[in-house]
Structure formats: structure tokens, C-alpha cells
Amino acid sequence: MARHRVCGENDIPVGGMKAGQAGNETIVVFRLDDGFYSTQNQCTHLFASLHKGKIVEGGQVECPHHRTRFDIRTGQVVCWANHPPGIQVLNFLLAKKALKTYPVVIESGQVFVEV
Ligand code: FES
């Protein structure tokens, strides 16, 4: 596992997120009220970029395409694709899949992600 600098600690406000690169992985770093978290940036449903979505319910990220919600702290699916109406038909083919999560380390005001 290698450590990759993503940004400065103050570059992400509480309730915000930032996409970045950690080695070969495209990741997103989230800042919640209890700290920093990181997941893969690509939605496991149909590959949208999660950093273009929004943080909801104090700890979930909602994908901008079909509104799948993931728990930012664990990567688990909270609500699988449900928008637009009818998208659920696809859910027989696209099984729920959690996001990969990565450890975040804050050091000297810098945000590092371990991949
Ligand atoms: S691509 Fe993310 S919910 Fe479909």
C-alpha cells in the first residue's frame, strides 16, 4: 500500500468532497463532520463520477446519474439506482456493488490516501 498526497486539508470544507488521483486509482476524498474518508470515484452502477453528485443525510454520497446512494464511511450501498422511474428494470442485470474505500491520513495539513 502506498501513500499519495491528494490536496491540502483546508482545500475541502466540512460537508465537501474533492476528486483526485492516488496511484492508478481515481478517488474522491470526503470531509464529514467526524473526519476524512475516501472511496473510488466511479459509481459501481454505470460508472458516473461520484464527485459530481452530492453528499446527503450527513454521510452518504448520491450519484448524479441514477441516484444510487453509498455510505461514505463504509462504501456500502444504501439505496440502489432508482431514478428515472423504470431504471429498476436494469437492476436485474446490475447487482448492487459496494465502493472500494481507502484509508486517509492527515499529516502536516496535507491529505494523503493509501492505495
Ligand atoms: S451511474 Fe451511478 S447510479 Fe447509475
Side-chain angles (χ1 to χ4, degrees), residues 20 39 70-71 74 78-79 86 101:
T39 69
F70 300 93
D71 185 308
T74 65
V78 176
C79 176
T101 60

Side-chain angles (χ1 to χ4, degrees), residues 37-73:
Y37 298 88
S38 182
T39 69
Q40 67 184 77
N41 193 15
Q42 196 174 57
C43 180
T44 56
H45 180 240
L46 281 172
F47 316 120
S49 295
L50 292 174
H51 78 280
K52 294 181 179 166
K54 57 187 178 184
I55 295 176
V56 295
E57 310 257 340
Q60 299 170 16
V61 59
E62 183 180 276
C63 178
H65 279 199
H66 312 107
R67 301 185 186 170
T68 287
R69 288 185 180 193
F70 300 93
D71 185 308
I72 289 167
R73 294 176 178 89

Side-chain angles (χ1 to χ4, degrees), residues 7-112:
C7 60
E9 188 177 4
N10 294 330
D11 293 339
I12 311 176
V14 175
M17 57 181 154
K18 186 175 182 59
Q21 197 68 25
N24 293 327
E25 302 286 332
T26 302
I27 52 94
V28 56
V29 176
F30 302 91
R31 186 171 189 176
L32 302 181
D33 53 10
D34 62 349
F36 289 84
Y37 298 88
S38 182
T39 69
Q40 67 184 77
N41 193 15
Q42 196 174 57
C43 180
T44 56
H45 180 240
L46 281 172
F47 316 120
S49 295
L50 292 174
H51 78 280
K52 294 181 179 166
K54 57 187 178 184
I55 295 176
V56 295
E57 310 257 340
Q60 299 170 16
V61 59
E62 183 180 276
C63 178
H65 279 199
H66 312 107
R67 301 185 186 170
T68 287
R69 288 185 180 193
F70 300 93
D71 185 308
I72 289 167
R73 294 176 178 89
T74 65
Q76 294 300 310
V77 174
V78 176
C79 176
W80 197 228
N82 64 8
H83 181 83
I87 191 81
Q88 292 90 342
V89 171
L90 264 184
N91 291 350
F92 292 108
L93 301 172
L94 299 168
K96 287 181 191 178
K97 188 175 176 197
L99 298 173
K100 287 188 275 186
T101 60
Y102 304 101
V104 179
V105 176
I106 307 298
E107 208 171 85
S108 303
Q110 304 297 307
V111 177
F112 297 88

